[in-house]
């Protein structure tokens, strides 16, 4: 039985722990998580998550305390989230590419009291542990990289600590308890997007099971709707991002399974081998950065893989071009390709669906049911007018950014008496009602699905003794959509050493934020108010590097 059933009172709002406990009760022997040859059944998933919940509560975690997952894709990622949900705590994603300063900022900003981490990060954590005193418990996940440090608890010991019954904290569970998704966003340091579980469930799950559209949770009805294992899916992209995490929730909440890949870098052969061997039905990627290498491998080895089980590939967050979609469909014409226009702050802005013979044009999306495009002066963009506006979505939206009311007010706005999420994506509405996406209105750089805020890169560059001023710009890239590039104004007498500057940035920030190329300029040409003309400097960088902006 679930906690809601044993308590006997209707629960206000849907809750992930309750949903997954229903699945575990209904299909205890079905596979929930898979990693290589390792398989975890729903009953083991449930039991081990109880151990994590009990360990966190025994360590003093309080109602809605924050627990960070600092992990590569693995079963422990979702297992620990299940335990966090069971205990009425808040999971916090952590970008495993972050450097020390970024980790300190994130965990301090999130008020994290616990961190679940892969052993390979032990040395990095040891260097900053004294700077995050709020963290009281560290759960070490063995990945073969050294021994568990004395200051941490082995994850397996925690997972085995289940009391033999489902764990419910004194404060219980409900749909108002939150999940935090930290996003690089378009301005400033990463921000914690706060989703009520009930809102997130209503935003992502009803298209897969109508039960989740119910305002009042009906867990008995959910149990009746589960007649067998649900979607067997692979999140090829990181679970630390919304694209991978939210689609994993879809699979698990319908009693399906999530298969994580053993290679921590994109391994197309492993993806295709796993699809064939495990009869995977759904694959989640991040645009061309994943799709192009997959297509290249399929083209180079026609007929090698049986992909007949795969009926769905989903993507979000970066360009997925029409020719690549067409190429993939030639290898499996029965697939549906869904290109979702969403973000951590806004789900359902729009989508593009491609099937064999009906491939969608790049960046052409149908506006979501609850979405609209609004000009900067508050009008709806008329189809075919050529006007540009920001895409906004109402309905189930986050409640704001954690500890940031100013940015919350700028993104989650009231229009016609309803709350809309407006993350900053600009678009035109064509005469046929489709959207042409123009990108973020700011100068945010989207490289392979990772969002890079230019000022962050610029500040690091300007610390180098040879650099007087610097600007970071995104330039088109066939694989990653955009790459980070730098235009630097050198100090008098200094000479440009591109490799040194790139290495300098990598010492302070995640590698994906470092510029791929650096070009010099006589003067950045800041205005009196300190602002720069990013469009001009982007054109300059493109000309210097021979990159077309068309």
């Amino acid at each position: 039985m679930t906690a809601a059933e044993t308590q006997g009172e209707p629960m206000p709002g849907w809750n992930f722990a309750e949903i997954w406990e229903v699945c575990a009760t209904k299909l205890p022997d079905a596979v929930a998580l898979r990693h290589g040859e390792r398989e975890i059944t729903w009953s083991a998933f449930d039991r081990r998550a109880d151990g994590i919940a009990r360990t966190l509560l025994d360590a003093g975690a309080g109602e809605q305390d924050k627990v960070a997952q600092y992990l590569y894709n693995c079963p422990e990622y979702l297992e620990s989230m299940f335990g966090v949900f069971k205990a009425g705590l808040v999971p916090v994603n952590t970008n495993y590419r972050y450097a020390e300063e970024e980790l300190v900022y994130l965990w301090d900003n999130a008020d994290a009291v616990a961190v679940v981490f892969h052993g390979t990060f032990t040395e990095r954590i040891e260097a900053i542990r004294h700077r995050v005193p709020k963290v009281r418990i560290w759960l070490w996940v063995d990945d073969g990289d050294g021994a568990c440090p004395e200051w941490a608890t082995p994850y397996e010991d925690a997972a085995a600590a289940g009391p033999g019954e489902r764990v419910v904290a004194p404060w219980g569970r409900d749909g108002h308890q939150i999940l935090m998704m930290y996003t690089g966003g378009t301005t400033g340091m990463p921000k914690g997007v706060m989703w009520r579980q009930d809102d997130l469930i209503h935003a992502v799950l009803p298209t897969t099971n109508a039960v989740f559209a119910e305002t009042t949770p009906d867990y008995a009805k959910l149990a009746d709707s589960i007649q067998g294992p649900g979607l067997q899916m692979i999140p090829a992209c990181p679970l630390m991002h919304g694209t991978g995490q939210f689609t994993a929730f879809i699979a698990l909440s319908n009693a399906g399974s999530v298969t994580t890949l053993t290679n921590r870098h994109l391994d197309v052969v492993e993806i295709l081998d796993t699809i064939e061997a495990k009869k995977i039905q759904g694959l989640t990627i991040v645009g061309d950065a994943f799709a192009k290498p997959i297509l290249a491998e399929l083209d180079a080895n026609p007929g090698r893989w049986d992909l007949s089980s795969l009926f769905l590939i989903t993507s979000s967050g970066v360009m997925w071009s029409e020719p690549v979609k067409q190429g993939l469909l030639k290898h499996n014409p029965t697939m549906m390709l869904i290109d979702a226009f969403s973000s951590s702050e806004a789900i359902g802005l729009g989508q593009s669906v491609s099937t064999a013979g009906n491939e969608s044009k790049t960046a052409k999306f149908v506006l979501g049911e609850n979405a609209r495009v609004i000009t900067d002066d508050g009008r709806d963009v008329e189809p075919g007018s050529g006007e540009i506006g920001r895409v906004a979505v109402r309905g189930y939206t986050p409640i704001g950014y954690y500890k940031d009311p100013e940015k919350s007010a700028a993104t989650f706005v009231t229009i016609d008496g309803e709350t809309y999420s407006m993350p900053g994506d600009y678009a035109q509405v064509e005469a046929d009602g489709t959207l042409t996406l123009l990108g973020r209105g700011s100068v945010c750089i989207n490289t392979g699905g990772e969002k890079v805020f230019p000022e962050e890169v610029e500040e690091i560059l300007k610390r180098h003794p040879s650099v007087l001023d610097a600007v970071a710009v995104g330039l088109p890239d066939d694989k990653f959509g955009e790459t980070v590039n730098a235009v630097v104004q050198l100090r008098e007498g200094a000479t440009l050493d591109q490799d040194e500057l790139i290495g300098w940035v990598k010492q302070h920030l995640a590698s994906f934020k470092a510029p791929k190329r650096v070009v010099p300029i006589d003067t950045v040409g800041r205005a009196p108010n300190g602002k720069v003309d990013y469009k001009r400097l982007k054109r300059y960088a493109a000309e210097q590097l021979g990159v077309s902006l068309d």
Side-chain angles (χ1 to χ4, degrees):
M1 298 182 72
T2 68
E5 291 171 320
T6 57
Q7 290 167 355
E9 294 293 332
M11 177 177 293
W14 290 97
N15 178 279
F16 279 113
E18 295 289 317
I19 292 170
W20 296 350
E21 286 179 356
V22 167
C23 297
T25 299
K26 192 69 182 285
L27 299 175
D29 298 325
V31 174
L33 305 173
R34 184 185 289 113
H35 190 74
E37 295 305 311
R38 179 185 175 198
E39 292 187 344
I40 299 173
T41 64
W42 269 99
S43 60
F45 181 33
D46 187 23
R47 181 180 64 254
R48 287 167 61 83
D50 281 320
I52 300 302
R54 183 75 274 154
T55 299
L56 293 169
L57 292 172
D58 288 348
E63 184 174 4
Q64 290 291 271
D65 271 350
K66 316 303 185 294
V67 180
Q69 276 77 30
Y70 185 26
L71 300 162
Y72 291 100
N73 283 12
C74 62
E76 290 81 3
Y77 201 117
L78 294 165
E79 231 176 39
S80 60
M81 290 191 80
F82 192 3
V84 169
F85 287 141
K86 281 174 175 278
L89 308 175
V90 180
V92 175
N93 62 317
T94 299
N95 193 322
Y96 53 68
R97 298 186 178 100
Y98 277 177
E100 293 175 7
E101 293 298 323
E102 296 158 305
L103 291 171
V104 171
Y105 167 81
L106 190 148
W107 292 340
D108 178 69
N109 182 262
D111 298 314
V113 303
V115 176
V116 187
F117 69 99
H118 262 133
T120 192
F121 299 126
T122 299
E123 184 176 351
R124 182 173 294 170
I125 290 174
E126 284 181 328
I128 62 171
R129 217 163 49 88
H130 66 286
R131 299 175 61 189
V132 284
K134 298 173 190 173
V135 179
R136 298 196 296 271
I137 182 169
W138 304 84
L139 295 182
W140 172 83
V141 177
D142 187 0
D143 59 357
D145 193 347
C148 181
E150 54 85 21
W151 44 264
T153 299
Y155 181 92
E156 284 302 312
D157 290 355
E165 58 185 15
R166 284 175 172 155
V167 174
V168 181
W171 43 85
R173 308 171 185 161
D174 62 50
H176 297 298
Q177 292 171 345
I178 67 172
L179 170 147
M180 283 220 298
M181 175 60 62
Y182 267 80
T183 175
T186 58
T187 56
M189 297 297 286
K191 304 179 294 295
V193 181
M194 297 184 292
W195 276 97
R196 290 190 184 97
Q197 290 188 45
D198 182 70
D199 289 334
L200 182 60
I201 287 164
H202 275 108
V204 301
L205 296 185
T207 57
T208 62
N209 190 334
V211 172
F212 294 119
E214 302 278 350
T215 303
T216 301
D218 189 335
Y219 292 102
K221 191 173 181 179
L222 172 62
D224 290 341
S225 73
I226 298 172
Q227 299 301 312
L231 179 71
Q232 316 298 301
M233 66 90 64
I234 293 175
C237 50
L239 290 169
M240 67 181 182
H241 289 326
T243 300
Q245 193 173 120
F246 295 169
T247 52
F249 290 172
I250 290 172
L252 291 176
S253 299
N254 288 281
S257 70
V258 174
T259 296
T260 47
L261 301 169
T262 59
N263 198 325
R264 290 174 175 175
H265 301 284
L266 179 60
D267 184 336
V268 171
V269 172
E270 183 186 4
I271 292 173
L272 297 172
D273 283 348
T274 305
I275 291 171
E276 179 179 43
K278 304 302 180 182
K279 305 301 179 187
I280 298 297
Q281 299 160 312
L283 174 68
T284 303
I285 63 173
V286 181
D288 282 352
F290 285 71
K292 283 186 175 182
I294 291 173
L295 177 58
E297 191 68 34
L298 291 171
D299 285 346
N301 298 278
R304 173 176 170 180
W305 290 281
D306 176 7
L307 304 181
S308 58
S309 64
L310 188 67
F311 66 80
L312 177 66
I313 302 180
T314 59
S315 173
S316 181
V318 72
M319 179 184 293
W320 190 6
S321 55
E322 177 195 7
V324 177
K325 293 177 182 178
Q326 291 176 338
L328 290 170
L329 288 168
K330 288 178 182 177
H331 288 280
N332 184 357
T334 64
M335 292 190 302
M336 178 182 294
L337 312 181
I338 298 180
D339 197 355
F341 175 26
S342 295
S343 69
S344 300
E345 299 99 323
I347 295 173
L349 293 168
Q351 69 175 18
S352 172
V353 179
S354 298
T355 54
N358 185 36
E359 296 81 11
S360 296
K361 301 293 184 183
T362 304
K364 287 288 187 179
F365 290 83
V366 176
L367 200 63
E369 181 182 356
N370 294 317
R372 58 200 285 193
V373 182
I374 301 171
T375 63
D376 287 340
D377 58 3
R379 297 176 293 104
D380 283 299
V381 169
E382 292 293 331
S385 66
E387 288 188 303
I388 296 173
R390 284 191 296 165
V391 188
V393 64
R394 63 179 172 84
Y396 295 103
T397 61
I399 58 176
Y401 296 117
Y402 188 56
K403 299 194 303 190
D404 200 333
E406 182 178 341
K407 289 176 181 173
S408 295
T411 300
F412 306 102
V413 300
T414 301
I415 304 173
D416 300 332
E418 295 186 273
T419 298
Y420 280 78
S421 177
M422 300 178 69
D425 299 280
Y426 277 75
Q428 291 175 316
V429 183
E430 306 302 333
D432 62 0
T434 61
L435 298 180
T436 297
L437 302 183
L438 304 174
R440 286 291 169 104
S442 73
V443 291
C444 180
I445 301 167
N446 190 332
T447 177
E450 295 281 6
K451 296 179 177 63
V452 179
F453 186 61
E455 277 88 340
E456 191 177 16
V457 180
E458 293 160 8
E459 286 302 314
I460 298 299
L461 283 168
K462 286 187 286 187
R463 292 183 198 172
H464 192 277
S466 71
V467 176
L468 180 64
D469 203 354
V471 170
V473 297
L475 293 180
D477 180 79
D478 189 53
K479 180 178 180 181
F480 295 104
E482 283 186 301
T483 57
V484 182
N485 298 268
V487 179
V488 298
Q489 179 180 338
L490 297 169
R491 295 186 182 277
E492 187 175 352
T495 57
L496 177 65
D497 187 330
Q498 175 174 269
D499 292 341
E500 181 178 344
L501 290 178
I502 293 172
W504 173 262
V505 176
K506 288 182 178 180
Q507 290 178 30
H508 298 85
L509 299 175
S511 293
F512 69 84
K513 296 180 180 180
K516 296 291 184 284
R517 291 160 295 185
V518 181
V519 296
I521 194 171
D522 289 338
T523 176
V524 165
R526 290 186 180 271
N529 62 2
K531 293 185 178 180
V532 295
D533 186 343
Y534 278 96
K535 289 183 179 180
R536 175 180 61 82
L537 291 168
K538 182 172 183 174
R539 288 194 301 269
Y540 173 83
E543 291 169 1
Q544 295 296 307
L545 295 168
V547 176
S548 174
L549 296 179
D550 296 333

